[in-house]
Amino acid sequence: MFSVLSYGRLVARAVLGGLSQTDSRDYSLVTASCGFGKDARKGILKKGMCYGDDACFIARHRTADVLGVADGVGGWRDYGVDPSQFSETLMRTCERLVKEGRFVPTNPVGILTSSYRELLQNKVPLLGSSTACLVILDRTSHRLHTANLGDSGFLVVRAGEVVHRSDEQQHYFNTPFQLSIAPPEAEGVVLSDSPDAADSSSFDVQLGDIILTATDGLFDNMPDYMILQELKKLKNTNYESIQQTARSIAEQAHDLAYDPNYMSPFAQFACDYGLNVRGGKPDDITVLLSIVAEYTD
């Protein structure tokens, strides 16, 4: 089962080539989502937009389109905590702030900081940890503003090549930067990073640029060349084509995750650390696939 949300008119026109930076038209994102929970051989969407312990959102406001993905840290399950609650609450809070207009398009870290602060002040106790990646398209300036904390991330693809991407943040092997809320007795022991530690960037986009935002379940199982091969199948910007391609990418990553003989990016990374690892990495997978299109209100 998969889920698709799109923003901007489905008939929005876009050109798969470049466009002059003097273009005065507003841009928007047409976005499809697909994902799989690690514990299910078939994709299952939980309440909201959650795949396993992953969560995501797609939102829009007057001047911007905003996307986000978060990966709940599964280790909390050993302490009786549902890891999906933290990532889901974080993404729902980010989404609400965007819809209420309580954000600045040039400052995705600000959304992350405000959302995390709300979680810390929540009257209902919430424990857990999560990575996070936010992507904002400023419709008028045509600039993409991003913030990435941990090992989720994004790619910007133009004319079949990766022209911009997030930087992965790891403390050490398989231990990404993360936002956390720990019980009082564990504060200072549980790994916790500040939203300000997120890697931020800004990038000018063009009509037809492809933006792929995903949790590490994708990037740990599919190298760039495989992702680019799948994106070549995206011949136009209509809703159905984006949906089909998003599903194809998520399904391939899911299949590779359970291949014991496949030398995955995660296994290669482990070998670089002197670990004898082979095969895919079973994990929750969330994919948001977007195309920059002309905005039509």
Side-chain angles (χ1 to χ4, degrees), residues 18-37:
L19 191 70
S20 169
Q21 293 184 356
T22 61
D23 183 9
S24 62
R25 293 172 293 181
D26 285 354
Y27 291 178
S28 65
L29 296 178
V30 182
T31 301
S33 74
C34 184
F36 295 89

mmCIF file with all atom_site columns, all heavy atoms in Angstrom, residues 18-37:
data_model
loop_
_atom_site.group_PDB
_atom_site.id
_atom_site.type_symbol
_atom_site.label_atom_id
_atom_site.label_alt_id
_atom_site.label_comp_id
_atom_site.label_asym_id
_atom_site.label_entity_id
_atom_site.label_seq_id
_atom_site.pdbx_PDB_ins_code
_atom_site.Cartn_x
_atom_site.Cartn_y
_atom_site.Cartn_z
_atom_site.occupancy
_atom_site.B_iso_or_equiv
_atom_site.pdbx_formal_charge
_atom_site.auth_seq_id
_atom_site.auth_comp_id
_atom_site.auth_asym_id
_atom_site.auth_atom_id
_atom_site.pdbx_PDB_model_num
ATOM 1   N N   . GLY A 1 18 ? 16.451 23.408 -18.627 1.00 0.00 ? 18 GLY A N   1
ATOM 2   C CA  . GLY A 1 18 ? 16.721 24.560 -17.791 1.00 0.00 ? 18 GLY A CA  1
ATOM 3   C C   . GLY A 1 18 ? 15.832 25.733 -18.156 1.00 0.00 ? 18 GLY A C   1
ATOM 4   O O   . GLY A 1 18 ? 15.048 25.710 -19.092 1.00 0.00 ? 18 GLY A O   1
ATOM 5   N N   . LEU A 1 19 ? 15.952 26.808 -17.390 1.00 0.00 ? 19 LEU A N   1
ATOM 6   C CA  . LEU A 1 19 ? 15.176 28.010 -17.640 1.00 0.00 ? 19 LEU A CA  1
ATOM 7   C C   . LEU A 1 19 ? 15.982 29.197 -17.124 1.00 0.00 ? 19 LEU A C   1
ATOM 8   O O   . LEU A 1 19 ? 16.705 29.091 -16.153 1.00 0.00 ? 19 LEU A O   1
ATOM 9   C CB  . LEU A 1 19 ? 13.832 27.949 -16.920 1.00 0.00 ? 19 LEU A CB  1
ATOM 10  C CG  . LEU A 1 19 ? 12.810 29.027 -17.306 1.00 0.00 ? 19 LEU A CG  1
ATOM 11  C CD1 . LEU A 1 19 ? 12.303 28.772 -18.726 1.00 0.00 ? 19 LEU A CD1 1
ATOM 12  C CD2 . LEU A 1 19 ? 11.640 29.004 -16.343 1.00 0.00 ? 19 LEU A CD2 1
ATOM 13  N N   . SER A 1 20 ? 15.845 30.306 -17.764 1.00 0.00 ? 20 SER A N   1
ATOM 14  C CA  . SER A 1 20 ? 16.589 31.497 -17.365 1.00 0.00 ? 20 SER A CA  1
ATOM 15  C C   . SER A 1 20 ? 16.228 31.904 -15.948 1.00 0.00 ? 20 SER A C   1
ATOM 16  O O   . SER A 1 20 ? 15.087 31.800 -15.521 1.00 0.00 ? 20 SER A O   1
ATOM 17  C CB  . SER A 1 20 ? 16.261 32.643 -18.324 1.00 0.00 ? 20 SER A CB  1
ATOM 18  O OG  . SER A 1 20 ? 16.761 33.864 -17.810 1.00 0.00 ? 20 SER A OG  1
ATOM 19  N N   . GLN A 1 21 ? 17.209 32.369 -15.201 1.00 0.00 ? 21 GLN A N   1
ATOM 20  C CA  . GLN A 1 21 ? 16.971 32.792 -13.828 1.00 0.00 ? 21 GLN A CA  1
ATOM 21  C C   . GLN A 1 21 ? 16.137 34.068 -13.761 1.00 0.00 ? 21 GLN A C   1
ATOM 22  O O   . GLN A 1 21 ? 15.758 34.492 -12.681 1.00 0.00 ? 21 GLN A O   1
ATOM 23  C CB  . GLN A 1 21 ? 18.311 32.985 -13.120 1.00 0.00 ? 21 GLN A CB  1
ATOM 24  C CG  . GLN A 1 21 ? 19.077 31.674 -12.918 1.00 0.00 ? 21 GLN A CG  1
ATOM 25  C CD  . GLN A 1 21 ? 20.355 31.877 -12.138 1.00 0.00 ? 21 GLN A CD  1
ATOM 26  O OE1 . GLN A 1 21 ? 20.723 32.997 -11.801 1.00 0.00 ? 21 GLN A OE1 1
ATOM 27  N NE2 . GLN A 1 21 ? 21.061 30.802 -11.858 1.00 0.00 ? 21 GLN A NE2 1
ATOM 28  N N   . THR A 1 22 ? 15.886 34.702 -14.905 1.00 0.00 ? 22 THR A N   1
ATOM 29  C CA  . THR A 1 22 ? 15.063 35.908 -14.915 1.00 0.00 ? 22 THR A CA  1
ATOM 30  C C   . THR A 1 22 ? 13.582 35.566 -14.972 1.00 0.00 ? 22 THR A C   1
ATOM 31  O O   . THR A 1 22 ? 12.743 36.463 -15.006 1.00 0.00 ? 22 THR A O   1
ATOM 32  C CB  . THR A 1 22 ? 15.419 36.788 -16.128 1.00 0.00 ? 22 THR A CB  1
ATOM 33  O OG1 . THR A 1 22 ? 15.175 36.056 -17.347 1.00 0.00 ? 22 THR A OG1 1
ATOM 34  C CG2 . THR A 1 22 ? 16.889 37.205 -16.091 1.00 0.00 ? 22 THR A CG2 1
ATOM 35  N N   . ASP A 1 23 ? 13.234 34.310 -14.963 1.00 0.00 ? 23 ASP A N   1
ATOM 36  C CA  . ASP A 1 23 ? 11.842 33.871 -15.017 1.00 0.00 ? 23 ASP A CA  1
ATOM 37  C C   . ASP A 1 23 ? 11.077 34.491 -13.844 1.00 0.00 ? 23 ASP A C   1
ATOM 38  O O   . ASP A 1 23 ? 11.464 34.356 -12.689 1.00 0.00 ? 23 ASP A O   1
ATOM 39  C CB  . ASP A 1 23 ? 11.796 32.348 -14.948 1.00 0.00 ? 23 ASP A CB  1
ATOM 40  C CG  . ASP A 1 23 ? 10.387 31.802 -15.082 1.00 0.00 ? 23 ASP A CG  1
ATOM 41  O OD1 . ASP A 1 23 ? 9.476  32.593 -15.404 1.00 0.00 ? 23 ASP A OD1 1
ATOM 42  O OD2 . ASP A 1 23 ? 10.204 30.594 -14.869 1.00 0.00 ? 23 ASP A OD2 1
ATOM 43  N N   . SER A 1 24 ? 9.978  35.160 -14.144 1.00 0.00 ? 24 SER A N   1
ATOM 44  C CA  . SER A 1 24 ? 9.212  35.855 -13.105 1.00 0.00 ? 24 SER A CA  1
ATOM 45  C C   . SER A 1 24 ? 8.060  35.022 -12.565 1.00 0.00 ? 24 SER A C   1
ATOM 46  O O   . SER A 1 24 ? 7.351  35.459 -11.655 1.00 0.00 ? 24 SER A O   1
ATOM 47  C CB  . SER A 1 24 ? 8.670  37.179 -13.658 1.00 0.00 ? 24 SER A CB  1
ATOM 48  O OG  . SER A 1 24 ? 7.786  36.926 -14.753 1.00 0.00 ? 24 SER A OG  1
ATOM 49  N N   . ARG A 1 25 ? 7.857  33.835 -13.100 1.00 0.00 ? 25 ARG A N   1
ATOM 50  C CA  . ARG A 1 25 ? 6.746  32.997 -12.641 1.00 0.00 ? 25 ARG A CA  1
ATOM 51  C C   . ARG A 1 25 ? 7.057  32.361 -11.290 1.00 0.00 ? 25 ARG A C   1
ATOM 52  O O   . ARG A 1 25 ? 8.212  32.107 -10.964 1.00 0.00 ? 25 ARG A O   1
ATOM 53  C CB  . ARG A 1 25 ? 6.456  31.901 -13.675 1.00 0.00 ? 25 ARG A CB  1
ATOM 54  C CG  . ARG A 1 25 ? 5.912  32.418 -14.997 1.00 0.00 ? 25 ARG A CG  1
ATOM 55  C CD  . ARG A 1 25 ? 5.822  31.318 -16.032 1.00 0.00 ? 25 ARG A CD  1
ATOM 56  N NE  . ARG A 1 25 ? 7.140  30.853 -16.428 1.00 0.00 ? 25 ARG A NE  1
ATOM 57  C CZ  . ARG A 1 25 ? 7.345  29.893 -17.343 1.00 0.00 ? 25 ARG A CZ  1
ATOM 58  N NH1 . ARG A 1 25 ? 6.315  29.298 -17.913 1.00 0.00 ? 25 ARG A NH1 1
ATOM 59  N NH2 . ARG A 1 25 ? 8.570  29.543 -17.673 1.00 0.00 ? 25 ARG A NH2 1
ATOM 60  N N   . ASP A 1 26 ? 6.017  32.101 -10.525 1.00 0.00 ? 26 ASP A N   1
ATOM 61  C CA  . ASP A 1 26 ? 6.192  31.371 -9.276  1.00 0.00 ? 26 ASP A CA  1
ATOM 62  C C   . ASP A 1 26 ? 6.332  29.882 -9.572  1.00 0.00 ? 26 ASP A C   1
ATOM 63  O O   . ASP A 1 26 ? 5.729  29.367 -10.514 1.00 0.00 ? 26 ASP A O   1
ATOM 64  C CB  . ASP A 1 26 ? 4.992  31.595 -8.351  1.00 0.00 ? 26 ASP A CB  1
ATOM 65  C CG  . ASP A 1 26 ? 5.005  32.963 -7.700  1.00 0.00 ? 26 ASP A CG  1
ATOM 66  O OD1 . ASP A 1 26 ? 6.007  33.699 -7.880  1.00 0.00 ? 26 ASP A OD1 1
ATOM 67  O OD2 . ASP A 1 26 ? 4.027  33.303 -7.014  1.00 0.00 ? 26 ASP A OD2 1
ATOM 68  N N   . TYR A 1 27 ? 7.117  29.226 -8.722  1.00 0.00 ? 27 TYR A N   1
ATOM 69  C CA  . TYR A 1 27 ? 7.302  27.780 -8.841  1.00 0.00 ? 27 TYR A CA  1
ATOM 70  C C   . TYR A 1 27 ? 6.566  27.079 -7.706  1.00 0.00 ? 27 TYR A C   1
ATOM 71  O O   . TYR A 1 27 ? 6.239  27.678 -6.682  1.00 0.00 ? 27 TYR A O   1
ATOM 72  C CB  . TYR A 1 27 ? 8.787  27.410 -8.761  1.00 0.00 ? 27 TYR A CB  1
ATOM 73  C CG  . TYR A 1 27 ? 9.634  27.832 -9.929  1.00 0.00 ? 27 TYR A CG  1
ATOM 74  C CD1 . TYR A 1 27 ? 11.006 27.571 -9.928  1.00 0.00 ? 27 TYR A CD1 1
ATOM 75  C CD2 . TYR A 1 27 ? 9.088  28.495 -11.033 1.00 0.00 ? 27 TYR A CD2 1
ATOM 76  C CE1 . TYR A 1 27 ? 11.810 27.952 -10.986 1.00 0.00 ? 27 TYR A CE1 1
ATOM 77  C CE2 . TYR A 1 27 ? 9.893  28.870 -12.101 1.00 0.00 ? 27 TYR A CE2 1
ATOM 78  C CZ  . TYR A 1 27 ? 11.256 28.605 -12.070 1.00 0.00 ? 27 TYR A CZ  1
ATOM 79  O OH  . TYR A 1 27 ? 12.047 28.985 -13.122 1.00 0.00 ? 27 TYR A OH  1
ATOM 80  N N   . SER A 1 28 ? 6.335  25.776 -7.877  1.00 0.00 ? 28 SER A N   1
ATOM 81  C CA  . SER A 1 28 ? 5.768  24.963 -6.808  1.00 0.00 ? 28 SER A CA  1
ATOM 82  C C   . SER A 1 28 ? 6.310  23.544 -6.950  1.00 0.00 ? 28 SER A C   1
ATOM 83  O O   . SER A 1 28 ? 6.994  23.225 -7.932  1.00 0.00 ? 28 SER A O   1
ATOM 84  C CB  . SER A 1 28 ? 4.240  24.955 -6.868  1.00 0.00 ? 28 SER A CB  1
ATOM 85  O OG  . SER A 1 28 ? 3.791  24.323 -8.057  1.00 0.00 ? 28 SER A OG  1
ATOM 86  N N   . LEU A 1 29 ? 6.011  22.717 -5.975  1.00 0.00 ? 29 LEU A N   1
ATOM 87  C CA  . LEU A 1 29 ? 6.430  21.326 -6.005  1.00 0.00 ? 29 LEU A CA  1
ATOM 88  C C   . LEU A 1 29 ? 5.224  20.423 -6.208  1.00 0.00 ? 29 LEU A C   1
ATOM 89  O O   . LEU A 1 29 ? 4.201  20.583 -5.548  1.00 0.00 ? 29 LEU A O   1
ATOM 90  C CB  . LEU A 1 29 ? 7.124  20.931 -4.699  1.00 0.00 ? 29 LEU A CB  1
ATOM 91  C CG  . LEU A 1 29 ? 8.438  21.650 -4.372  1.00 0.00 ? 29 LEU A CG  1
ATOM 92  C CD1 . LEU A 1 29 ? 8.975  21.170 -3.023  1.00 0.00 ? 29 LEU A CD1 1
ATOM 93  C CD2 . LEU A 1 29 ? 9.474  21.428 -5.469  1.00 0.00 ? 29 LEU A CD2 1
ATOM 94  N N   . VAL A 1 30 ? 5.344  19.497 -7.148  1.00 0.00 ? 30 VAL A N   1
ATOM 95  C CA  . VAL A 1 30 ? 4.360  18.423 -7.287  1.00 0.00 ? 30 VAL A CA  1
ATOM 96  C C   . VAL A 1 30 ? 5.018  17.192 -6.667  1.00 0.00 ? 30 VAL A C   1
ATOM 97  O O   . VAL A 1 30 ? 6.076  16.758 -7.127  1.00 0.00 ? 30 VAL A O   1
ATOM 98  C CB  . VAL A 1 30 ? 3.997  18.169 -8.757  1.00 0.00 ? 30 VAL A CB  1
ATOM 99  C CG1 . VAL A 1 30 ? 2.940  17.080 -8.861  1.00 0.00 ? 30 VAL A CG1 1
ATOM 100 C CG2 . VAL A 1 30 ? 3.511  19.448 -9.423  1.00 0.00 ? 30 VAL A CG2 1
ATOM 101 N N   . THR A 1 31 ? 4.426  16.655 -5.630  1.00 0.00 ? 31 THR A N   1
ATOM 102 C CA  . THR A 1 31 ? 5.092  15.664 -4.783  1.00 0.00 ? 31 THR A CA  1
ATOM 103 C C   . THR A 1 31 ? 4.274  14.398 -4.591  1.00 0.00 ? 31 THR A C   1
ATOM 104 O O   . THR A 1 31 ? 3.063  14.465 -4.377  1.00 0.00 ? 31 THR A O   1
ATOM 105 C CB  . THR A 1 31 ? 5.390  16.274 -3.391  1.00 0.00 ? 31 THR A CB  1
ATOM 106 O OG1 . THR A 1 31 ? 6.222  17.420 -3.548  1.00 0.00 ? 31 THR A OG1 1
ATOM 107 C CG2 . THR A 1 31 ? 6.100  15.271 -2.486  1.00 0.00 ? 31 THR A CG2 1
ATOM 108 N N   . ALA A 1 32 ? 4.959  13.268 -4.650  1.00 0.00 ? 32 ALA A N   1
ATOM 109 C CA  . ALA A 1 32 ? 4.350  11.972 -4.351  1.00 0.00 ? 32 ALA A CA  1
ATOM 110 C C   . ALA A 1 32 ? 5.130  11.301 -3.230  1.00 0.00 ? 32 ALA A C   1
ATOM 111 O O   . ALA A 1 32 ? 6.345  11.485 -3.117  1.00 0.00 ? 32 ALA A O   1
ATOM 112 C CB  . ALA A 1 32 ? 4.351  11.082 -5.591  1.00 0.00 ? 32 ALA A CB  1
ATOM 113 N N   . SER A 1 33 ? 4.458  10.536 -2.406  1.00 0.00 ? 33 SER A N   1
ATOM 114 C CA  . SER A 1 33 ? 5.130  9.822  -1.317  1.00 0.00 ? 33 SER A CA  1
ATOM 115 C C   . SER A 1 33 ? 4.869  8.332  -1.402  1.00 0.00 ? 33 SER A C   1
ATOM 116 O O   . SER A 1 33 ? 3.802  7.886  -1.839  1.00 0.00 ? 33 SER A O   1
ATOM 117 C CB  . SER A 1 33 ? 4.673  10.341 0.053   1.00 0.00 ? 33 SER A CB  1
ATOM 118 O OG  . SER A 1 33 ? 3.370  9.892  0.345   1.00 0.00 ? 33 SER A OG  1
ATOM 119 N N   . CYS A 1 34 ? 5.856  7.564  -1.005  1.00 0.00 ? 34 CYS A N   1
ATOM 120 C CA  . CYS A 1 34 ? 5.695  6.120  -0.905  1.00 0.00 ? 34 CYS A CA  1
ATOM 121 C C   . CYS A 1 34 ? 6.641  5.607  0.163   1.00 0.00 ? 34 CYS A C   1
ATOM 122 O O   . CYS A 1 34 ? 7.716  6.178  0.375   1.00 0.00 ? 34 CYS A O   1
ATOM 123 C CB  . CYS A 1 34 ? 5.993  5.439  -2.241  1.00 0.00 ? 34 CYS A CB  1
ATOM 124 S SG  . CYS A 1 34 ? 5.697  3.649  -2.226  1.00 0.00 ? 34 CYS A SG  1
ATOM 125 N N   . GLY A 1 35 ? 6.271  4.555  0.847   1.00 0.00 ? 35 GLY A N   1
ATOM 126 C CA  . GLY A 1 35 ? 7.147  4.021  1.875   1.00 0.00 ? 35 GLY A CA  1
ATOM 127 C C   . GLY A 1 35 ? 6.772  2.628  2.315   1.00 0.00 ? 35 GLY A C   1
ATOM 128 O O   . GLY A 1 35 ? 5.710  2.102  1.967   1.00 0.00 ? 35 GLY A O   1
ATOM 129 N N   . PHE A 1 36 ? 7.679  2.025  3.078   1.00 0.00 ? 36 PHE A N   1
ATOM 130 C CA  . PHE A 1 36 ? 7.492  0.682  3.601   1.00 0.00 ? 36 PHE A CA  1
ATOM 131 C C   . PHE A 1 36 ? 8.003  0.610  5.032   1.00 0.00 ? 36 PHE A C   1
ATOM 132 O O   . PHE A 1 36 ? 9.064  1.156  5.338   1.00 0.00 ? 36 PHE A O   1
ATOM 133 C CB  . PHE A 1 36 ? 8.262  -0.346 2.763   1.00 0.00 ? 36 PHE A CB  1
ATOM 134 C CG  . PHE A 1 36 ? 7.761  -0.478 1.357   1.00 0.00 ? 36 PHE A CG  1
ATOM 135 C CD1 . PHE A 1 36 ? 8.271  0.317  0.354   1.00 0.00 ? 36 PHE A CD1 1
ATOM 136 C CD2 . PHE A 1 36 ? 6.769  -1.396 1.041   1.00 0.00 ? 36 PHE A CD2 1
ATOM 137 C CE1 . PHE A 1 36 ? 7.818  0.203  -0.944  1.00 0.00 ? 36 PHE A CE1 1
ATOM 138 C CE2 . PHE A 1 36 ? 6.307  -1.517 -0.255  1.00 0.00 ? 36 PHE A CE2 1
ATOM 139 C CZ  . PHE A 1 36 ? 6.829  -0.718 -1.250  1.00 0.00 ? 36 PHE A CZ  1
ATOM 140 N N   . GLY A 1 37 ? 7.273  -0.059 5.887   1.00 0.00 ? 37 GLY A N   1
ATOM 141 C CA  . GLY A 1 37 ? 7.758  -0.328 7.227   1.00 0.00 ? 37 GLY A CA  1
ATOM 142 C C   . GLY A 1 37 ? 8.688  -1.519 7.208   1.00 0.00 ? 37 GLY A C   1
ATOM 143 O O   . GLY A 1 37 ? 8.494  -2.468 6.441   1.00 0.00 ? 37 GLY A O   1
#
